[in-house]
Amino acid sequence: MKQVPIIVLDFGSQYTQLIVRKLRESGVYCEVVPYREEIEAIKARAPKGIIFSGGPASVYAEDAYKPDEGIWKLGLPILGICYGMQLITQHFGGEVIPADHHEYGKAELKIVKEDSPIFKNIEDQSIVWMSHGDKAERLPDGFEVIGTSENSPYAAIADEKRQIYALQFHPEVHHSVEGVKLLKNFAKYICACESTWNMGSFAKEKIAAIQKQVGDKKVLCGVSGGVDSSVVAAMLHEALPDEQLIAVFVDQGLLRKDEADQVKTMFKMLNIPLITINAQKEFLDKLEGITDPEQKRKIIGETFIEVFDREAQKHQDVAFLAQGTLYTDVIESVSVKGPSKTIKSHHNVGGLPDWMTFELVEPLREIFKDEVRKLGLELGLPKDMIGRHPFPGPGLAIRVMGEVNAEALRLLRESDAIMQEELKATGYYDKVWQAFTVLLNVQSVGVMGDNRTYDNTVCIRMVESVDGMTATFAHIPHDVLEGMSRRIINEIDGINRVVYDISSKPPATIEWE
């Protein structure tokens, strides 16, 4: 197992992934694991420091989340944030009680101990973000106050002899003005981590790992033309001789308009030989009558493997399947919060069948979407390819609410193509993280000319995000949306209404299914 300088124990905070992102942006590699991760698995990563995330629970509750007791015996520096702070307070003999009132929002941090290494180069009275309903009432022996705020006399505490620090506020969120610097101080000055992690070093490390894992066997790489699979294919092309890489593009009938031709052109440009398989009928036949989104995902994932397996039989020594699984896919498909529920099965993770005999090669499994884009540029892929919006593995199937059939796909493809054309023409394509249309399979009354219509509704979904873990709906000018709506309704028979999705993630997800 690779060395991970900082490990973040996840106690269920909505901000946990931000801790990881901010440290990585500072050049320190770190990973998030469930709070109940076994101590041996943590030791195997040889961390230099541990961070406890925030969380929605109370440490004094009967079913409060607690880490493996071995954590406290490692002798490593620990940083507790919010719930993590209260956990530290309780464990070492202090007292945590419900606060008189919940504290949410901005506060000024008054630094009490200016020479504390965690506050190095941090300005006094900088803005931090509070979000808590409990508070420390009495500090444990050996701990001292190193920072306060107007409503939090214990905004920051520490036992510097044991290198244990705890913050009532969230340094990882955008509103904590110097929060990133504070996290970096913990990593650099307290845990002695160096800022050596970047996409160049990651690429070299992963290429070497691919060569070691694959040896002289062959790898079947499933490609879709999206950013993730293209970057994986480029890494494999860099790592392996041509005869060991079998790049396979499966046209499953769930692609966007003209996408199959675009994929073929792209891989020709990359000088990567590509095998194209038309499996449209096979996929659509299996999806007939299926309306449950989880079933759709699992059917599509399993059918992909069946197609890949048949192709592998035509070649000797194919032992591996490579795919573009991302960190966000793993997080949302595996319950990293322990008892929390899986949000949805991702095509690359939860949709794979038990009988699959391939060993997986997943070089992107540890990184976020924006990091994949940086990696692609590092590998020399063109900017227009790297800048493409994310596209889900199950394709348009999860953008059709209900049963997937040829007519539904026609309406969705055509509406999406018009929306994309307008987005690019108005200069907004590169300003949003992701944009697509959803066929709601909801019909409503309309009037076209003098005739009554009873046709379908299409929803336009556009979001702004950095890594896909959280997202806000994009504030697109009304005239741009109006142009999209007018064209979709006028040019596509069967659609008479267009709506715009103004929900954010959380509580919604980016995709509808």
Side-chain angles (χ1 to χ4, degrees):
M1 189 174 283
K2 68 180 287 184
Q3 200 251 339
V4 180
I6 301 287
I7 286 179
V8 180
L9 291 191
D10 182 12
F11 290 90
S13 170
Q14 60 182 317
Y15 304 133
T16 300
Q17 312 312 323
L18 290 177
I19 303 170
V20 179
R21 290 195 45 73
K22 299 304 183 186
L23 280 169
R24 288 187 182 188
E25 287 169 8
S26 300
V28 178
Y29 184 72
C30 58
E31 290 182 3
V32 58
V33 301
Y35 72 87
R36 56 183 184 175
E37 186 87 341
E38 292 182 1
I39 193 64
E40 293 307 317
I42 291 173
K43 285 181 180 178
R45 294 176 171 89
K48 294 183 176 182
I50 306 285
I51 295 178
F52 294 167
S53 82
S58 294
V59 294
Y60 48 76
E62 191 174 326
D63 57 350
Y65 299 166
K66 300 288 175 67
D68 189 307
E69 280 297 311
I71 284 286
W72 308 105
K73 300 171 185 174
L74 290 176
L76 294 172
I78 297 175
L79 172 64
I81 297 171
C82 201
Y83 180 89
M85 174 200 187
Q86 293 151 17
L87 191 66
I88 288 169
T89 300
Q90 184 192 64
H91 176 80
F92 287 102
E95 185 180 2
V96 177
I97 64 170
D100 297 333
H101 60 276
H102 289 203
E103 186 179 13
Y104 299 111
K106 295 178 181 178
E108 284 189 1
L109 176 66
K110 172 65 179 174
I111 296 175
V112 175
K113 189 173 183 183
E114 295 181 2
D115 62 347
S116 176
I118 204 160
F119 290 144
K120 190 175 179 67
N121 300 319
I122 302 286
E123 288 190 15
D124 192 22
Q125 297 183 320
S126 67
I127 298 297
V128 296
W129 187 260
M130 296 285 186
S131 180
H132 62 98
D134 295 331
K135 67 176 184 179
E137 175 71 2
R138 177 174 52 81
L139 295 189
D141 292 342
F143 282 78
E144 62 181 321
V145 176
I146 59 173
T148 66
S149 72
E150 184 177 358
N151 293 315
S152 293
Y154 302 141
I157 63 173
D159 179 338
E160 296 199 316
K161 187 175 181 181
R162 286 185 284 190
Q163 294 186 301
I164 298 175
Y165 295 79
L167 311 172
Q168 184 60 77
F169 57 90
H170 287 270
E172 70 272 26
V173 304
H174 175 71
H175 302 293
S176 291
V177 177
E178 296 198 274
V180 176
K181 193 185 293 183
L182 194 151
L183 289 171
K184 189 173 181 179
N185 283 348
F186 174 72
K188 182 177 181 179
Y189 299 114
I190 298 165
C191 303
C193 297
E194 296 180 5
S195 297
T196 57
W197 193 77
N198 56 49
M199 281 300 111
S201 63
F202 180 82
K204 290 176 184 174
E205 174 191 314
K206 284 300 170 186
I207 287 169
I210 289 168
Q211 291 168 336
K212 182 178 180 181
Q213 181 184 6
V214 173
D216 59 357
K217 301 293 184 182
K218 291 178 182 174
V219 182
L220 191 148
C221 178
V223 301
S224 65
V227 176
D228 308 330
S229 62
S230 298
V231 170
V232 170
M235 289 189 80
L236 291 167
H237 186 58
E238 185 89 15
L240 305 171
D242 281 349
E243 61 271 15
Q244 282 184 256
L245 172 58
I246 303 166
V248 178
F249 169 56
V250 177
D251 182 353
Q252 85 288 49
L254 304 170
L255 299 171
R256 291 168 288 195
K257 190 174 182 180
D258 300 327
E259 194 156 26
D261 291 336
Q262 293 168 8
V263 171
K264 294 172 195 173
T265 301
M266 185 190 306
F267 275 79
K268 189 175 289 185
M269 182 185 68
L270 293 173
N271 291 318
I272 299 176
L274 185 66
I275 297 169
T276 301
I277 299 171
N278 187 329
Q280 294 184 19
K281 187 175 185 308
E282 182 175 355
F283 277 83
L284 293 183
D285 284 350
K286 289 190 176 185
L287 288 169
E288 186 177 352
I290 303 299
T291 58
D292 179 74
E294 278 293 289
Q295 266 192 287
K296 287 182 190 178
R297 287 176 176 271
K298 291 188 182 297
I299 287 170
I300 291 166
E302 184 156 345
T303 307
F304 263 116
I305 299 301
E306 289 171 358
V307 174
F308 290 147
D309 194 51
R310 287 201 302 268
E311 181 61 33
Q313 302 304 319
K314 302 174 186 177
H315 309 268
Q316 287 186 328
D317 297 327
V318 178
F320 298 91
L321 173 66
Q323 47 182 27
T325 307
L326 301 188
Y327 203 24
T328 42
D329 299 336
V330 175
I331 289 165
E332 290 193 341
S333 295
V334 178
S335 187
V336 296
K337 299 184 180 77
S340 71
K341 292 182 179 177
T342 296
I343 296 171
K344 58 188 175 184
S345 295
H346 279 266
H347 166 68
N348 289 349
V349 184
L352 300 179
D354 295 336
W355 54 261
M356 189 184 77
T357 57
F358 297 114
E359 184 179 333
L360 291 176
V361 176
E362 298 175 306
L364 311 182
R365 192 179 175 90
E366 299 160 6
I367 61 177
F368 293 97
K369 188 75 175 191
D370 60 315
E371 293 173 325
V372 175
R373 296 189 196 281
K374 292 176 184 174
L375 177 59
L377 292 174
E378 191 74 36
L379 292 167
L381 298 181
K383 284 187 178 180
D384 59 341
M385 179 194 296
I386 294 304
R388 292 187 74 188
H389 288 181
F391 187 62
L396 299 182
I398 58 170
R399 294 178 181 173
V400 173
M401 301 297 99
E403 184 180 354
V404 180
N405 54 50
E407 175 59 10
L409 290 169
R410 178 188 74 83
L411 295 173
L412 188 55
R413 267 197 201 97
E414 295 299 329
S415 63
D416 190 77
I418 289 171
M419 185 275 295
Q420 298 284 351
E421 286 174 15
E422 289 296 305
L423 201 61
K424 289 174 181 175
T426 54
Y428 278 89
Y429 185 86
D430 291 329
K431 296 178 183 178
V432 299
W433 160 268
Q434 192 172 3
F436 54 91
T437 59
V438 181
L439 183 68
L440 302 187
N441 266 323
V442 171
Q443 292 179 303
S444 64
V445 174
V447 179
M448 292 188 177
D450 294 324
N451 296 318
R452 174 188 185 275
T453 61
Y454 192 62
D455 284 331
N456 280 284
T457 302
V458 158
C459 175
I460 294 174
R461 175 71 157 147
M462 297 188 204
V463 298
E464 295 172 353
S465 182
V466 174
D467 52 32
M469 290 304 302
T470 59
T472 57
F473 69 89
H475 292 255
I476 303 296
H478 289 177
D479 59 331
V480 175
L481 295 174
E482 183 183 14
M484 293 174 182
S485 175
R486 184 175 57 249
R487 282 195 59 195
I488 288 170
I489 292 171
N490 287 346
E491 296 177 28
I492 305 173
D493 290 335
I495 297 174
N496 68 356
R497 191 178 297 271
V498 175
V499 298
Y500 189 61
D501 184 347
I502 60 168
S503 51
S504 296
K505 175 186 179 181
T509 54
I510 295 176
E511 296 288 346
W512 274 49
E513 289 191 344

